[in-house]
Amino acid sequence: MPVINAPHAFNEGNLFVDLESIFGYPLYLKCEGFNFAGSIKLKAANEMVESAERDGILTRDSILVESSSGNLGVALSMIAASKGYRFLCVTDSRCNLSTRLLMEALGSQVHVVAGLDANGGFLGTRIDYVRSLCASDDRYVWLSQYTNAGNWRAHFRTTGPEIADHFPQLDVLFVGAGTTGTLMGCARYFRQWHRPVRIVAVDSVGSVAFGGKPGRRMIPGLGMSMRPPLLDESFVDEVIRVEEADTIRACHRMARRGFLFGGSTGTVVSGATDWLARHDAHDITAVAIAPDLGERYLDTIYQTNWLQDLYGDQILDPAHMTTTAPRPAEPGTPPPERREEP
């Protein structure tokens, strides 16, 4: 058992859940929520902070500021508390109450913006507020998870190799797309690997990250109201978009088997199992990444009144909660191939 003196020194990166008994298709879920920040964002936060320290950007007088829908804000709050920095998180009304309270418990300030941006989201509004703070006082240091190469480098160094070590015959990897840091880091890692891996990005309906039509998105985590600056689509083989109703159903199906995961995980799992069903893929090695756990979503996607108010009384109708049925592959989509070790 490790002995640590800083919370960011511990992260369990080698836990996978076999979801085949729940969804009927072989899918291994990499669980990234077992650290003191509770999410995969700890990796990016630590990489960006340490890089800023090495470059002399962060000093004792600095005030860290970042735009976040929740998880990165918690990770930076934890690191700031450990290292003695002040931190201000700029978020919006979709951020879970428990997440905001957690950041404040760690000593951070939280500012919630209310105005929508041109694409009907809050991201542009949050970034405008951060920029105004930085212009007003040079003590503010914005790490900018949206443009910071440390965001994807963290996953190139850790997440990709962790998956490769456990699954040397990996065929397809499903990664949720937000800032695309996880997606780009893993995609870059497997591009140079010893065998080809199909990289499937999973986005939310209503996100414009890959050019989709903007729309309402109530579940924080995945999706963007602008094109992610870190995104290089040449590393992505396919994009799947998931309706929030399907996100919620995937979360509840896992919860009914004892696995409580967050909204981003529900989106990735829903997209992955739909892909596997459409390709009737029973003989490939498939991995999906679960960014966080579900406790911070108890007052939203696991709360009956919230669900019914936003998605209607039938959102968890038993008819929609059965195992995904196979559907024909979309025109022009090549079937998956089972590849053996060279």
Side-chain angles (χ1 to χ4, degrees), residues 243-291:
E243 296 278 359
E244 286 193 333
D246 293 323
T247 291
I248 291 162
R249 290 168 185 140
C251 285
H252 280 261
R253 285 182 64 180
M254 289 185 287
R256 291 175 185 182
R257 298 293 293 273
F259 295 107
L260 195 73
F261 285 105
S264 298
T265 300
T267 301
V268 175
V269 169
S270 177
T273 53
D274 178 73
W275 189 95
L276 293 167
R278 285 189 284 109
H279 293 88
D280 196 22
H282 289 278
D283 191 31
I284 66 172
T285 300
V287 171
I289 298 175

Side-chain angles (χ1 to χ4, degrees), residues 66-70 90-92 94 111 113 115 117 122-131 142 145-146 224:
E66 186 57 77
S67 160
S68 170
S69 61
V90 180
T91 188
D92 59 68
R94 292 179 307 179
H111 178 82
V113 302
D117 60 26
F122 294 98
L123 180 56
T125 308
R126 295 196 326 236
I127 290 176
D128 287 344
Y129 186 82
V130 171
R131 284 175 172 154
W142 180 25
Q145 61 167 323
Y146 312 106
M224 293 272 279

Side-chain angles (χ1 to χ4, degrees), residues 118-177:
N119 285 320
F122 294 98
L123 180 56
T125 308
R126 295 196 326 236
I127 290 176
D128 287 344
Y129 186 82
V130 171
R131 284 175 172 154
S132 69
L133 286 176
C134 293
S136 69
D137 191 331
D138 59 11
R139 289 178 301 169
Y140 284 107
V141 174
W142 180 25
L143 298 177
S144 184
Q145 61 167 323
Y146 312 106
T147 59
N148 194 319
N151 190 345
W152 68 260
R153 279 201 306 265
H155 303 287
F156 183 89
R157 292 193 308 101
T158 61
T159 310
E162 288 163 359
I163 295 169
D165 286 347
H166 281 266
F167 299 97
Q169 295 184 340
L170 180 66
D171 293 301
V172 58
L173 177 64
F174 300 93
V175 188

Side-chain angles (χ1 to χ4, degrees), residues 17-48:
V17 174
D18 185 348
L19 295 179
E20 186 167 9
S21 65
I22 302 175
F23 293 96
Y25 288 90
L27 181 65
Y28 297 100
L29 188 62
K30 187 180 193 304
C31 302
E32 289 282 352
F34 291 97
N35 56 58
F36 285 98
S39 82
I40 196 171
K41 289 293 188 178
L42 175 62
K43 292 176 173 178
N46 196 42
E47 180 81 18
M48 292 189 295

